[in-house]
Coordinates of all heavy atoms in Angstrom, one line a residue:
M434 N 23.3 -10.2 -48.7 CA 22.9 -9.6 -50.0 C 21.5 -9.0 -49.9 O 20.6 -9.6 -49.2 CB 22.9 -10.8 -51.1 CG 22.5 -10.3 -52.5 SD 23.3 -11.2 -53.8 CE 21.9 -11.3 -55.0
L435 N 21.3 -7.9 -50.7 CA 20.0 -7.3 -50.7 C 19.0 -8.2 -51.3 O 19.3 -9.0 -52.3 CB 20.1 -6.0 -51.5 CG 20.9 -4.9 -51.0 CD1 21.1 -3.9 -52.1 CD2 20.4 -4.2 -49.7
S436 N 17.7 -8.1 -50.8 CA 16.7 -8.7 -51.6 C 16.2 -7.9 -52.8 O 16.6 -6.8 -52.9 CB 15.5 -8.9 -50.6 OG 14.8 -7.7 -50.4
C437 N 15.5 -8.5 -53.7 CA 15.0 -7.7 -54.8 C 14.1 -6.6 -54.4 O 14.2 -5.5 -55.0 CB 14.3 -8.7 -55.9 SG 15.4 -9.9 -56.6
K438 N 13.3 -6.8 -53.4 CA 12.4 -5.8 -53.0 C 13.2 -4.6 -52.4 O 12.9 -3.4 -52.7 CB 11.6 -6.4 -51.9 CG 10.3 -5.6 -51.7 CD 9.3 -6.3 -50.7 CE 7.9 -5.7 -50.7 NZ 6.8 -6.6 -50.6
E439 N 14.3 -4.9 -51.8 CA 15.1 -3.9 -51.1 C 15.8 -3.1 -52.3 O 16.1 -1.8 -52.2 CB 16.3 -4.4 -50.2 CG 15.7 -4.9 -48.9 CD 16.6 -5.7 -48.1 OE1 17.5 -6.5 -48.7 OE2 16.6 -5.7 -46.9
V440 N 16.3 -3.8 -53.5 CA 16.9 -3.2 -54.5 C 16.1 -2.1 -55.2 O 16.6 -1.1 -55.5 CB 17.3 -4.2 -55.6 CG1 17.7 -3.7 -56.9 CG2 18.5 -5.1 -55.0
V441 N 14.8 -2.4 -55.3 CA 13.9 -1.4 -55.9 C 13.9 -0.1 -55.1 O 14.2 1.0 -55.7 CB 12.4 -1.9 -55.9 CG1 11.5 -0.8 -56.4 CG2 12.3 -3.1 -56.9
V442 N 13.9 -0.2 -53.8 CA 14.0 1.0 -52.9 C 15.3 1.7 -53.1 O 15.5 2.9 -53.1 CB 13.7 0.6 -51.4 CG1 13.9 1.8 -50.5 CG2 12.3 0.0 -51.3
E443 N 16.3 0.8 -53.0 CA 17.8 1.4 -53.0 C 18.0 2.1 -54.4 O 18.7 3.1 -54.4 CB 18.7 0.3 -52.9 CG 18.7 -0.4 -51.5 CD 19.2 0.6 -50.4 OE1 18.3 1.2 -49.8 OE2 20.4 0.6 -50.1
I444 N 17.4 1.6 -55.5 CA 17.6 2.3 -56.8 C 17.0 3.6 -56.7 O 17.6 4.7 -57.2 CB 17.0 1.5 -58.0 CG1 17.9 0.3 -58.3 CG2 16.7 2.3 -59.2 CD1 17.2 -0.8 -59.2
E445 N 15.9 3.8 -56.1 CA 15.2 5.0 -56.0 C 16.0 6.0 -55.0 O 16.1 7.2 -55.3 CB 13.7 4.8 -55.6 CG 12.9 4.2 -56.6 CD 11.5 3.8 -56.1 OE1 11.0 4.3 -55.0 OE2 10.8 3.0 -56.8
R446 N 16.5 5.4 -54.0 CA 17.3 6.3 -53.1 C 18.6 6.7 -53.7 O 19.0 7.8 -53.5 CB 17.7 5.4 -51.8 CG 16.5 5.2 -50.9 CD 16.8 4.6 -49.6 NE 17.8 5.2 -48.9 CZ 18.8 4.7 -48.1 NH1 18.8 3.4 -47.9 NH2 19.6 5.4 -47.4
R447 N 19.1 5.9 -54.6 CA 20.3 6.3 -55.3 C 20.0 7.4 -56.3 O 20.8 8.4 -56.3 CB 20.9 5.1 -56.2 CG 22.3 5.4 -56.8 CD 22.8 4.3 -57.5 NE 22.0 3.9 -58.7 CZ 22.2 2.9 -59.5 NH1 23.2 2.1 -59.2 NH2 21.4 2.7 -60.5
L448 N 18.8 7.3 -57.0 CA 18.4 8.5 -57.8 C 18.4 9.8 -57.0 O 18.6 10.9 -57.5 CB 17.1 8.2 -58.4 CG 17.0 7.2 -59.5 CD1 15.6 6.9 -59.9 CD2 17.8 7.7 -60.7
D449 N 17.9 9.7 -55.8 CA 17.9 10.9 -54.9 C 19.3 11.3 -54.3 O 19.4 12.2 -53.5 CB 16.8 10.6 -53.8 CG 15.5 10.6 -54.3 OD1 15.2 11.1 -55.4 OD2 14.6 9.9 -53.6
G450 N 20.3 10.5 -54.6 CA 21.6 10.7 -54.0 C 21.8 10.4 -52.5 O 22.6 11.0 -51.9
E451 N 20.9 9.5 -52.1 CA 21.0 9.2 -50.7 C 21.8 8.0 -50.2 O 21.8 7.7 -49.0 CB 19.6 8.9 -50.2 CG 18.6 10.1 -50.3 CD 17.1 9.7 -50.0 OE1 16.9 8.6 -49.6 OE2 16.4 10.7 -49.9
L452 N 22.5 7.3 -51.3 CA 23.2 6.1 -50.9 C 24.7 6.3 -50.5 O 25.3 7.1 -51.2 CB 23.1 5.2 -52.0 CG 21.8 4.4 -52.3 CD1 21.9 3.3 -53.3 CD2 21.2 3.8 -51.0
S453 N 25.1 5.7 -49.5 CA 26.6 5.7 -49.1 C 27.3 4.9 -50.2 O 26.7 4.0 -51.0 CB 26.7 5.1 -47.8 OG 26.4 3.7 -47.8
W454 N 28.7 5.0 -50.2 CA 29.4 4.2 -51.0 C 29.2 2.7 -50.9 O 29.0 1.9 -51.8 CB 30.9 4.5 -50.8 CG 31.9 3.8 -51.7 CD1 32.3 4.1 -52.9 CD2 32.5 2.5 -51.5 NE1 33.1 3.2 -53.5 CE2 33.2 2.2 -52.6 CE3 32.5 1.7 -50.3 CZ2 34.0 1.0 -52.7 CZ3 33.2 0.5 -50.4 CH2 34.0 0.1 -51.6
R455 N 29.0 2.3 -49.6 CA 28.9 0.9 -49.3 C 27.5 0.3 -49.9 O 27.4 -0.7 -50.3 CB 28.9 0.8 -47.7 CG 29.0 -0.6 -47.3 CD 29.0 -0.6 -45.7 NE 29.2 -2.0 -45.2 CZ 30.3 -2.4 -44.8 NH1 31.4 -1.7 -44.9 NH2 30.5 -3.7 -44.5
A456 N 26.5 1.2 -49.7 CA 25.2 0.8 -50.2 C 25.1 0.7 -51.7 O 24.4 -0.1 -52.2 CB 24.2 1.8 -49.7
R457 N 25.9 1.7 -52.4 CA 25.9 1.7 -53.8 C 26.6 0.4 -54.2 O 26.2 -0.3 -55.2 CB 26.6 2.9 -54.3 CG 25.9 4.2 -54.3 CD 26.4 5.2 -55.2 NE 27.8 5.6 -55.1 CZ 28.3 6.4 -54.2 NH1 27.6 7.1 -53.4 NH2 29.6 6.5 -54.1
M458 N 27.7 0.0 -53.5 CA 28.4 -1.3 -53.9 C 27.5 -2.5 -53.7 O 27.5 -3.4 -54.6 CB 29.7 -1.4 -53.1 CG 30.8 -0.5 -53.4 SD 31.3 -0.5 -55.2 CE 30.7 1.0 -55.7
A459 N 26.7 -2.5 -52.6 CA 25.8 -3.7 -52.4 C 24.7 -3.7 -53.5 O 24.4 -4.8 -54.0 CB 25.2 -3.5 -51.0
L460 N 24.2 -2.6 -54.0 CA 23.3 -2.5 -55.0 C 23.9 -3.0 -56.3 O 23.3 -3.8 -57.0 CB 22.8 -1.0 -55.1 CG 21.8 -0.7 -56.2 CD1 20.5 -1.5 -56.0 CD2 21.5 0.8 -56.2
R461 N 25.1 -2.5 -56.6 CA 25.8 -2.9 -57.8 C 26.0 -4.4 -57.9 O 25.8 -5.0 -58.9 CB 27.1 -2.1 -57.9 CG 27.9 -2.4 -59.3 CD 28.9 -1.4 -59.4 NE 28.5 0.0 -59.7 CZ 28.1 0.5 -60.8 NH1 28.2 -0.2 -61.8 NH2 27.6 1.7 -60.8
M462 N 26.4 -5.0 -56.7 CA 26.6 -6.4 -56.7 C 25.3 -7.2 -57.1 O 25.3 -8.1 -57.8 CB 27.0 -6.9 -55.3 CG 28.4 -6.6 -55.0 SD 29.5 -7.5 -56.1 CE 29.3 -9.2 -55.5
H463 N 24.1 -6.7 -56.5 CA 22.9 -7.4 -56.8 C 22.5 -7.3 -58.2 O 22.1 -8.2 -58.9 CB 21.8 -6.8 -55.8 CG 20.5 -7.5 -56.0 ND1 20.0 -8.4 -55.1 CD2 19.6 -7.5 -56.9 CE1 18.9 -8.9 -55.5 NE2 18.5 -8.3 -56.6
L464 N 22.8 -6.0 -58.8 CA 22.4 -5.8 -60.2 C 23.2 -6.6 -61.1 O 22.7 -6.9 -62.2 CB 22.5 -4.3 -60.5 CG 21.5 -3.3 -59.7 CD1 21.8 -1.9 -60.0 CD2 20.1 -3.7 -60.2
L465 N 24.4 -6.9 -60.7 CA 25.2 -7.8 -61.6 C 24.7 -9.2 -61.6 O 24.9 -9.9 -62.6 CB 26.7 -7.7 -61.1 CG 27.4 -6.5 -61.5 CD1 28.8 -6.5 -60.8 CD2 27.7 -6.3 -63.0
M466 N 24.2 -9.6 -60.5 CA 23.8 -11.0 -60.4 C 22.4 -11.4 -60.6 O 22.0 -12.5 -60.8 CB 24.2 -11.5 -59.0 CG 25.6 -11.5 -58.8 SD 26.2 -12.4 -57.3 CE 25.6 -11.3 -56.0
C467 N 21.5 -10.3 -60.6 CA 20.1 -10.5 -60.8 C 19.5 -9.8 -62.1 O 19.5 -8.6 -62.1 CB 19.3 -9.9 -59.5 SG 17.6 -10.1 -59.6
R468 N 19.2 -10.6 -63.0 CA 18.8 -10.1 -64.3 C 17.4 -9.3 -64.2 O 17.2 -8.4 -64.9 CB 18.8 -11.0 -65.4 CG 17.7 -12.2 -65.3 CD 17.9 -13.3 -66.2 NE 17.1 -14.4 -66.0 CZ 15.9 -14.6 -66.5 NH1 15.5 -13.7 -67.4 NH2 15.2 -15.5 -66.2
H469 N 16.6 -9.7 -63.3 CA 15.3 -9.0 -63.1 C 15.5 -7.6 -62.6 O 15.0 -6.7 -63.2 CB 14.5 -9.8 -62.1 CG 14.2 -11.2 -62.4 ND1 13.4 -11.6 -63.5 CD2 14.6 -12.4 -61.9 CE1 13.4 -12.9 -63.7 NE2 14.1 -13.4 -62.7
C470 N 16.3 -7.5 -61.6 CA 16.6 -6.1 -61.1 C 17.4 -5.3 -62.1 O 17.2 -4.1 -62.3 CB 17.4 -6.2 -59.8 SG 16.2 -6.8 -58.4
G471 N 18.3 -5.9 -62.8 CA 19.0 -5.3 -63.9 C 18.2 -4.6 -64.9 O 18.3 -3.6 -65.4
R472 N 17.1 -5.6 -65.3 CA 16.2 -5.0 -66.3 C 15.3 -3.9 -65.7 O 15.0 -2.9 -66.4 CB 15.3 -6.2 -66.7 CG 14.4 -5.8 -67.9 CD 13.7 -7.1 -68.5 NE 12.8 -7.7 -67.4 CZ 12.3 -8.9 -67.5 NH1 12.5 -9.6 -68.6 NH2 11.6 -9.4 -66.6
Y473 N 14.9 -4.0 -64.5 CA 14.1 -2.9 -63.8 C 14.9 -1.7 -63.9 O 14.4 -0.6 -64.2 CB 13.8 -3.4 -62.4 CG 13.1 -2.3 -61.6 CD1 11.8 -2.0 -61.7 CD2 13.9 -1.5 -60.7 CE1 11.1 -1.0 -61.0 CE2 13.2 -0.5 -60.0 CZ 11.9 -0.3 -60.1 OH 11.3 0.7 -59.4
E474 N 16.2 -1.7 -63.5 CA 17.1 -0.6 -63.5 C 17.2 0.1 -64.9 O 17.1 1.3 -65.0 CB 18.4 -0.8 -63.0 CG 19.3 0.5 -62.7 CD 20.8 0.1 -62.7 OE1 21.2 -0.8 -63.3 OE2 21.4 1.0 -62.0
R475 N 17.4 -0.8 -65.9 CA 17.5 -0.3 -67.3 C 16.2 0.4 -67.8 O 16.3 1.5 -68.4 CB 17.9 -1.4 -68.3 CG 19.3 -1.8 -68.3 CD 19.7 -2.6 -69.4 NE 18.9 -3.8 -69.6 CZ 19.1 -4.9 -68.9 NH1 20.1 -5.0 -68.0 NH2 18.3 -5.9 -69.0
Q476 N 15.1 -0.2 -67.5 CA 13.8 0.4 -67.9 C 13.6 1.8 -67.2 O 13.2 2.8 -67.8 CB 12.6 -0.5 -67.5 CG 12.6 -1.7 -68.4 CD 11.5 -2.7 -67.8 OE1 11.0 -2.6 -66.8 NE2 11.2 -3.6 -68.7
L477 N 14.0 1.8 -66.0 CA 13.8 3.2 -65.2 C 14.8 4.2 -65.8 O 14.4 5.3 -66.0 CB 14.2 2.9 -63.7 CG 13.8 3.9 -62.7 CD1 12.3 4.1 -62.8 CD2 14.2 3.4 -61.3
K478 N 16.0 3.8 -66.1 CA 16.9 4.7 -66.7 C 16.4 5.3 -68.0 O 16.5 6.4 -68.4 CB 18.3 4.1 -66.9 CG 19.2 4.1 -65.7 CD 20.5 3.5 -66.0 CE 21.5 3.6 -64.7 NZ 22.7 2.8 -65.0
L479 N 15.9 4.4 -68.9 CA 15.4 4.7 -70.2 C 14.2 5.7 -70.1 O 14.1 6.7 -70.8 CB 14.9 3.5 -71.0 CG 16.0 2.7 -71.6 CD1 15.4 1.4 -72.2 CD2 16.7 3.4 -72.7
L480 N 13.3 5.4 -69.1 CA 12.2 6.3 -68.9 C 12.7 7.8 -68.5 O 12.2 8.7 -69.0 CB 11.3 5.7 -67.7 CG 10.2 4.8 -68.2 CD1 9.6 4.2 -66.9 CD2 9.2 5.5 -68.9
L481 N 13.6 7.7 -67.6 CA 14.1 9.1 -67.0 C 14.9 9.8 -68.2 O 14.7 11.0 -68.3 CB 14.9 8.8 -65.8 CG 14.2 8.3 -64.6 CD1 15.2 8.0 -63.4 CD2 13.1 9.3 -64.2
A482 N 15.6 9.0 -69.0 CA 16.3 9.6 -70.1 C 15.4 10.2 -71.1 O 15.5 11.3 -71.6 CB 17.3 8.7 -70.8
G483 N 14.2 9.5 -71.4 CA 13.2 9.9 -72.2 C 12.6 11.2 -71.8 O 12.3 12.1 -72.6
L484 N 12.3 11.2 -70.6 CA 11.7 12.5 -70.0 C 12.6 13.7 -70.2 O 12.2 14.7 -70.5 CB 11.6 12.3 -68.5 CG 10.2 11.8 -68.0 CD1 10.2 12.0 -66.4 CD2 9.1 12.7 -68.5
Q485 N 13.9 13.5 -70.0 CA 14.8 14.6 -70.2 C 14.9 15.1 -71.7 O 15.2 16.2 -71.9 CB 16.2 14.2 -69.7 CG 16.3 14.2 -68.2 CD 17.7 13.9 -67.7 OE1 18.6 13.5 -68.4 NE2 17.8 13.9 -66.3
R486 N 14.8 14.1 -72.6 CA 14.8 14.5 -74.0 C 13.5 15.3 -74.4 O 13.6 16.2 -75.3 CB 14.9 13.3 -74.9 CG 16.4 12.9 -75.1 CD 16.5 12.0 -76.4 NE 15.6 10.9 -76.3 CZ 16.0 9.7 -75.7 NH1 17.1 9.6 -75.1 NH2 15.1 8.7 -75.7
L487 N 12.5 15.0 -73.8 CA 11.2 15.7 -74.1 C 11.2 17.2 -73.7 O 10.7 18.0 -74.3 CB 10.0 15.0 -73.4 CG 9.6 13.7 -74.0 CD1 8.5 13.0 -73.1 CD2 9.2 13.8 -75.4
H488 N 11.9 17.5 -72.6 CA 11.9 18.9 -72.2 C 13.1 19.0 -71.1 O 13.9 18.1 -71.1 CB 10.6 19.3 -71.4 CG 10.2 18.4 -70.4 ND1 10.6 18.4 -69.1 CD2 9.3 17.3 -70.4 CE1 10.1 17.4 -68.5 NE2 9.2 16.8 -69.2
S489 N 13.2 20.1 -70.5 CA 14.3 20.3 -69.6 C 14.3 19.2 -68.6 O 13.4 18.5 -68.4 CB 14.1 21.7 -68.9 OG 12.8 21.8 -68.4
P490 N 15.4 19.1 -67.8 CA 15.5 18.0 -66.8 C 14.4 17.9 -65.9 O 13.7 18.9 -65.6 CB 16.8 18.5 -66.0 CG 17.6 19.3 -66.9 CD 16.6 19.9 -67.8
A491 N 13.9 16.7 -65.7 CA 12.7 16.4 -64.9 C 12.8 17.0 -63.5 O 13.8 17.0 -62.9 CB 12.5 14.9 -64.8
T492 N 11.7 17.5 -63.1 CA 11.6 18.0 -61.7 C 11.4 16.8 -60.8 O 11.1 15.7 -61.2 CB 10.4 18.9 -61.6 OG1 9.2 18.1 -61.8 CG2 10.3 20.1 -62.5
D493 N 11.6 17.0 -59.5 CA 11.5 16.0 -58.5 C 10.1 15.4 -58.6 O 9.9 14.2 -58.5 CB 11.6 16.5 -57.1 CG 13.2 16.8 -56.8 OD1 14.0 16.3 -57.6 OD2 13.5 17.4 -55.9
A494 N 9.1 16.3 -58.9 CA 7.7 15.8 -58.9 C 7.6 14.8 -60.1 O 6.8 13.8 -60.1 CB 6.8 17.0 -59.0
E495 N 8.2 15.2 -61.3 CA 8.1 14.4 -62.5 C 8.7 13.0 -62.3 O 8.2 11.9 -62.7 CB 8.6 15.1 -63.6 CG 7.8 16.2 -64.1 CD 8.5 17.2 -65.1 OE1 9.7 17.2 -65.1 OE2 7.8 17.7 -66.0
V496 N 9.9 13.1 -61.7 CA 10.6 11.8 -61.3 C 9.8 10.9 -60.4 O 9.6 9.7 -60.7 CB 12.0 12.1 -60.6 CG1 12.6 10.7 -60.1 CG2 12.9 12.7 -61.6
Q497 N 9.1 11.5 -59.5 CA 8.3 10.7 -58.6 C 7.1 10.1 -59.3 O 6.7 9.0 -59.1 CB 7.8 11.7 -57.3 CG 7.2 10.8 -56.3 CD 8.1 9.8 -55.7 OE1 9.3 10.1 -55.4 NE2 7.7 8.5 -55.7
Q498 N 6.5 10.9 -60.3 CA 5.4 10.5 -61.0 C 5.8 9.2 -61.8 O 5.0 8.3 -61.9 CB 5.1 11.6 -62.0 CG 3.5 11.6 -62.3 CD 3.3 12.9 -63.2 OE1 4.1 13.8 -63.5 NE2 2.0 13.0 -63.7
V499 N 7.0 9.2 -62.4 CA 7.5 8.1 -63.2 C 7.7 6.9 -62.2 O 7.2 5.8 -62.6 CB 8.8 8.4 -63.9 CG1 9.4 7.2 -64.5 CG2 8.6 9.5 -65.1
L500 N 8.3 7.1 -61.1 CA 8.5 6.0 -60.2 C 7.2 5.4 -59.8 O 7.0 4.2 -59.7 CB 9.3 6.5 -59.0 CG 10.8 6.9 -59.3 CD1 11.4 7.5 -58.0 CD2 11.6 5.7 -59.7
D501 N 6.2 6.3 -59.5 CA 4.9 5.8 -59.1 C 4.2 4.9 -60.2 O 3.7 3.9 -59.9 CB 4.0 7.0 -58.7 CG 4.5 7.6 -57.4 OD1 5.3 7.1 -56.7 OD2 4.0 8.7 -57.1
A502 N 4.4 5.5 -61.4 CA 3.8 4.8 -62.5 C 4.5 3.4 -62.7 O 3.8 2.4 -63.0 CB 4.0 5.6 -63.9
V503 N 5.8 3.4 -62.7 CA 6.5 2.1 -62.8 C 6.2 1.1 -61.7 O 5.8 0.0 -61.9 CB 8.1 2.3 -62.7 CG1 8.8 1.0 -62.6 CG2 8.5 3.1 -64.0
N504 N 6.0 1.7 -60.5 CA 5.7 0.8 -59.4 C 4.3 0.3 -59.5 O 3.9 -0.8 -59.1 CB 5.8 1.5 -58.0 CG 7.3 1.6 -57.8 OD1 8.1 0.9 -58.1 ND2 7.6 2.7 -56.9
A505 N 3.4 1.1 -60.0 CA 2.0 0.7 -60.2 C 1.8 -0.3 -61.3 O 1.0 -1.3 -61.1 CB 1.1 1.9 -60.5
A506 N 2.6 -0.2 -62.4 CA 2.4 -1.1 -63.5 C 3.1 -2.4 -63.2 O 2.8 -3.4 -63.8 CB 3.0 -0.4 -64.8
D507 N 4.3 -2.4 -62.4 CA 5.1 -3.5 -62.3 C 5.4 -3.7 -60.8 O 5.9 -2.9 -60.1 CB 6.4 -3.2 -62.9 CG 7.3 -4.4 -62.8 OD1 7.1 -5.3 -62.1 OD2 8.4 -4.4 -63.5
P508 N 4.7 -4.7 -60.2 CA 4.8 -4.9 -58.7 C 6.2 -5.1 -58.2 O 6.4 -5.2 -57.1 CB 3.9 -6.1 -58.5 CG 3.8 -6.9 -59.8 CD 4.0 -5.8 -60.9
G509 N 7.1 -5.2 -59.1 CA 8.6 -5.3 -58.7 C 9.2 -6.7 -59.1 O 8.5 -7.5 -59.4
P510 N 10.5 -6.6 -59.3 CA 11.2 -7.9 -59.7 C 10.9 -9.1 -58.8 O 10.9 -10.2 -59.3 CB 12.7 -7.4 -59.7 CG 12.7 -5.9 -59.5 CD 11.4 -5.5 -58.9
S511 N 10.7 -8.8 -57.5 CA 10.6 -9.9 -56.6 C 9.4 -10.8 -57.0 O 9.5 -12.0 -56.6 CB 10.5 -9.5 -55.2 OG 9.4 -8.5 -55.1
S512 N 8.3 -10.2 -57.6 CA 7.2 -11.0 -57.9 C 7.5 -12.0 -58.9 O 6.6 -12.9 -59.2 CB 6.1 -10.0 -58.2 OG 6.3 -9.4 -59.5
R513 N 8.5 -11.8 -59.7 CA 8.7 -12.7 -60.8 C 9.7 -13.9 -60.4 O 9.9 -14.8 -61.2 CB 9.4 -12.0 -61.9 CG 8.4 -11.1 -62.6 CD 9.1 -10.5 -64.0 NE 8.7 -9.2 -64.1 CZ 9.4 -8.1 -63.8 NH1 10.7 -8.2 -63.5 NH2 9.0 -7.0 -64.0
L514 N 10.2 -13.9 -59.2 CA 11.1 -15.0 -58.8 C 10.4 -16.2 -58.3 O 9.3 -16.1 -57.9 CB 12.1 -14.3 -57.8 CG 13.0 -13.3 -58.3 CD1 13.9 -12.8 -57.2 CD2 13.9 -13.8 -59.5
Ligands
ZN1294 ZN1 17.1 -8.8 -57.8

């Protein structure tokens, strides 16, 4: 099973469309069982959806900016375990 730290990286890779089917299933399994990572993913989705409502779809640079801000503000789900 993926560690919480790996999940944060995998969520970002999935946003970039870089995950294989197998990797997406491993990620989904972890998200179903770990509420910390589930909450992290929901917050990220809300942030990205909010960006899209403000203006046209976010550019790669804007997505990266959000990810950087989230990572800076929240050291990651693994720190809470
Ligand atoms: Zn987790």
Side-chain angles (χ1 to χ4, degrees):
M434 178 150 144
L435 293 169
S436 71
C437 293
K438 202 168 189 147
E439 289 169 327
V440 164
V441 171
V442 174
E443 294 293 90
I444 286 173
E445 293 175 11
R446 287 182 63 209
R447 187 178 63 186
L448 286 173
D449 292 337
E451 292 176 359
L452 287 191
S453 66
W454 181 87
R455 193 185 185 94
R457 287 199 309 272
M458 288 304 112
L460 177 59
R461 187 165 293 273
M462 282 297 291
H463 186 105
L464 291 172
L465 283 173
M466 294 192 292
C467 178
R468 64 190 174 94
H469 301 292
C470 289
R472 187 169 61 191
Y473 174 79
E474 187 202 29
R475 280 195 304 280
Q476 288 174 343
L477 197 57
K478 279 182 175 172
L479 282 174
L480 270 171
L481 294 174
L484 263 187
Q485 286 183 353
R486 273 201 303 277
L487 288 175
H488 53 79
S489 53
T492 63
D493 287 347
E495 288 167 332
V496 170
Q497 192 57 51
Q498 215 176 351
V499 170
L500 292 175
D501 290 346
V503 168
N504 287 334
D507 183 347
S511 59
S512 68
R513 289 189 217 104
L514 295 178

